[in-house]
Amino acid sequence: MDEEQYIGKVTRVRGSVVDVSFDNKLPPLHSVLYTGTHSKVIIEVLLQLDAHQVRGVALTPTQGLAREMKVRYTGRSLEVPVGDTTLSRMFDVFGHTIDGLSDPLDVVWRPILRDPPDLMSRATRSAIFETGIKCIDVLMPLERGGKTGLFGGAGVGKTVLLTEMIHHLVGQSKGVSIFCGIGERCREGEELYREMKSAGVLPGMVLVFGQMNEPPGNRFRVGHAALTMAEYFRDDKNKDVLLLIDNVFRFIQAGMEVSGLMGQMPSRMGYQPTLSTELSKLQERISSTDKGAITSIQAVYVPADDLTDPSAVHTFSHLSASIVLSRKRAGEGLFPAIDPLHSASKMCNPEVIGQRHYQLAQEIRKNLAQYEDLKDIIAMLGTEQLSSEDRKTVNRARRLERFLTQPFFTTEVFSGIPGKVIPLEETLNGFERILNDEFADIPENCLYMVGGIEEAIEKEKSININESGSLHEA
């Protein structure tokens, strides 16, 4: 390619939108242009205006950019490095390291925009991905090679739950883990890097960040960059990949900003008209093939706690499991604040998890739903006006609610309670005994923030000993 043929000039700058004219052949869509002092302004072509002009969005700040400045096109699109040497490193959307260390060697650069695997190469496996978190493993089991969404408004614990799942899963995962921070606070990225390093799991991880202060075009592409790295380990190395995304709403929001900058007419509630297409292009690449699987866990911010918001609705359609976080439960101190009645998983059927597990999950949901229906009566008349059967249901449901709570490693420094990982069989036994009313006479607080059911029994014994000791002193 004759590079001189691809020298253009800036004709217009409007915020992050830059128009560039070329005398001869136009660069194709999604190609990358370089301009500004020392070529530090990077532009992605999104529109061909006519035979000589293209319009693009700057992926870097445009300070100092002016009309008539030279623009260089090198025949490439946006690329990131892939290879084993990327493990334990932190990158930005351009593939540059941001962990203060030198660039990795022995890497191959690949374009970030790639086609999803074809249908014939995809694999469908109905296997459970155990997390060690009681509420998730029992009521909404995750699919190995599937996509899981953590839905919730601001401050209900999405990032805490995602970080806890990283803590549980990265250590036991035999494959590679990739964390993608879209529109992240730099503080959260630094904390995660430090925590993963101290936990000794960084050698099996790659971290990719598009920070909050980056231009929208940058944040819009960071998810694709992380996926290209994940696809390398899946397709070239035949490994299972755990992909963690925080936060999908920031990807949609960045697309909304880019759409507005490009002058597109907004759709419902101000979202871009291409919302569904843009999200599908990202989500369809997250899949299992006959070579390996990409298991994805994605945090999704829900504006104003409204699950009918278009961003949440479009994301729901791509997931195999959805975990909805409730502000009400968070206010009651029931952490993780997962709403068991609104969360669901397609794995929760007897053919996959077995008849016993399925029946227990259904019984738990049934008791919690009945308790929810009785709350209005209790608020007005008190529990004394309930029938003996309803009182039993309330008693059982309150104990189930407390047993669904769990101390986290992530919050150990704040709560002072050591974090717990509970095997599925132990969790099922605990719920079975509560449903059989074995713990009807035990104070419900004994089941709050414990691991297995045996811990609740020990807690009751210690309370009884303390009480008897106090009486003896009196």
Side-chain angles (χ1 to χ4, degrees), residues 70-280:
K70 283 192 174 182
V71 179
R72 185 167 54 93
Y73 167 56
T74 60
R76 303 171 82 93
S77 59
L78 204 57
E79 296 178 336
V80 289
V82 297
D84 291 343
T85 53
T86 60
L87 290 169
S88 80
R89 304 303 303 276
M90 192 189 294
F91 298 90
D92 63 12
V93 72
F94 306 110
H96 302 146
T97 54
I98 53 174
D99 52 10
L101 304 174
S102 58
D103 290 339
L105 303 173
D106 301 322
V107 294
V108 178
W109 288 79
R110 288 187 180 172
I112 67 166
L113 296 176
R114 299 159 64 86
D115 293 328
D118 60 76
L119 289 174
M120 296 308 292
S121 67
R122 297 196 183 207
T124 53
R125 307 172 190 169
S126 294
I128 296 300
F129 198 69
E130 204 171 311
T131 66
I133 298 172
K134 291 184 288 189
C135 187
I136 293 172
D137 287 346
V138 173
L139 296 177
M140 56 225 68
L142 308 191
E143 179 186 12
R144 186 174 294 279
K147 295 190 276 280
T148 302
L150 308 179
F151 292 84
V156 293
K158 295 184 302 300
T159 302
V160 170
L161 184 56
L162 186 66
T163 311
E164 185 70 9
M165 291 172 91
I166 293 170
H167 196 285
H168 289 193
L169 302 177
V170 169
Q172 71 183 43
S173 174
K174 295 175 183 176
V176 172
S177 302
I178 294 179
F179 182 88
C180 174
I182 305 175
E184 278 290 279
R185 301 171 184 86
C186 58
R187 168 185 58 78
E188 290 177 345
E190 189 274 333
E191 284 176 0
L192 179 70
Y193 180 80
R194 188 161 25 87
E195 284 171 12
M196 295 301 104
K197 193 172 184 178
S198 63
V201 296
L202 198 60
M205 284 191 81
V206 182
L207 297 97
V208 189
F209 284 97
Q211 292 170 204
M212 242 178 196
N213 63 327
E214 306 281 7
N218 183 310
R219 288 179 273 122
F220 187 56
R221 290 300 182 212
V222 71
H224 299 283
L227 262 171
T228 300
M229 293 181 171
E231 287 166 343
Y232 163 79
F233 289 106
R234 180 193 66 190
D235 300 335
D236 293 37
K237 293 296 179 179
N238 299 340
K239 290 184 176 180
D240 284 351
V241 181
L242 177 61
L243 177 66
L244 304 131
I245 302 176
D246 189 7
N247 170 320
V248 171
F249 176 77
R250 302 293 175 208
F251 166 77
I252 294 170
Q253 192 177 44
M256 182 165 54
E257 291 180 51
V258 169
S259 174
L261 287 168
M262 296 303 291
Q264 290 181 323
M265 185 71 72
S267 182
R268 183 178 164 225
M269 294 178 71
Y271 287 99
Q272 63 271 42
T274 52
L275 167 61
S276 179
T277 305
E278 289 167 1
L279 190 60
S280 297

Side-chain angles (χ1 to χ4, degrees), residues 12-29:
R12 187 183 181 192
V13 182
R14 191 178 75 250
S16 293
V17 178
V18 183
D19 290 359
V20 182
S21 69
F22 290 86
D23 292 334
N24 299 318
K25 193 175 177 183
L26 284 182
L29 295 179

